[in-house]
Amino acid sequence: MLTRRDVRAVARILGLSPAAAWGAATFYSMHRLRPPGTYHLQVDTNVPALLAGAGALLASLEERLGIAPGETTPNSLFSLCRVEDLGAAGTSPALMVNETLYEEMSPEKADSLIESLTAGILPSPERPSRCATACSMLLRNCSRPGSETLPGYRAGGGYRALETAVGMSPAEIISLVERAGLRGRGGAGYPTARKWRLLAGDKRPVYLICNADEGEPGTFKDRYILERDPHLLVEGMAVAARAVGAHRAFAYV
């Protein structure tokens, strides 16, 4: 918990005005300026969440607990706040209790959760049911039971692409990816083959780094792969490493 004295000390150390330091301290919800309750409830209220009904979820919690965001119940059991992104835009409304995330919430589910917490029971969250896109290509395995295991992945044809790639030269792999028109999934949509070709044949050591940061709104799509189809990521990294001549690869989380 941050006190006003803490904020003033940080401002002095960094050469900031007290107002600037206070603005940062009050902007980020993880900086708590008063003691949280035993159960700290964070409701995601960014735009996708509000469109999915987060406003009604927050209102129901305010009414049930008799507190507004930023407040704590008189018995110190619950505190409530609103946050901007819990990384669950695809399964909103979302509610985090301490460090446990509950997705696809509703006022009725929240009532049941409050009853459990009041009794001292933190229930295990249900696995979200929605994880598909219109084409269901990249996320096609995510809803299948056992998709996160090696046997489950192999049963769906996993690692066959890697077996094929091992029998091809790096140039053949890059040409195949170029003909497929594959692009990066970032905002720039950079052609994958062009990026790989810049590295192929480089005499210096090449390291492959997969950005699994999940650090910006909308990257919940990658979270599903990491949680439910991780071998798809591993296989893709192995094929890419073969194409660019990388002998070491890292997944940055």
Side-chain angles (χ1 to χ4, degrees), residues 2 36 39 58 65-66 74 77 112 145 155 186 190 199 207 223 233 237 246:
L2 289 176
Y39 299 110
L58 179 62
L65 300 175
L77 189 59
S112 177
Y190 197 85
L199 295 172
Y207 300 94
R223 170 194 156 195
L233 176 69
M237 291 177 66

Side-chain angles (χ1 to χ4, degrees), residues 90-186:
T91 52
S92 295
L95 168 65
M96 181 172 278
V97 181
N98 298 342
E99 300 302 323
T100 301
L101 181 65
Y102 297 88
E103 301 164 273
E104 298 182 343
M105 291 296 290
S106 66
E108 294 75 22
K109 288 182 178 180
D111 277 343
S112 177
L113 179 60
I114 293 300
E115 290 179 7
S116 295
L117 297 174
T118 302
I121 301 172
L122 181 68
S124 298
E126 297 177 0
R127 189 175 184 179
S129 60
R130 302 193 303 270
C131 57
T133 59
C135 63
S136 288
M137 180 179 293
L138 195 62
L139 304 178
R140 63 182 181 274
N141 296 328
C142 291
S143 297
R144 197 177 68 244
S147 61
E148 71 281 4
T149 67
L150 178 57
Y153 184 66
R154 285 193 178 279
Y159 288 111
R160 292 179 186 170
L162 178 58
E163 292 172 1
T164 300
V166 168
M168 301 170 65
S169 69
E172 288 173 331
I173 297 173
I174 293 173
S175 295
L176 184 63
V177 169
E178 186 174 42
R179 291 197 301 273
L182 184 65
R183 291 177 175 267
R185 302 182 68 214

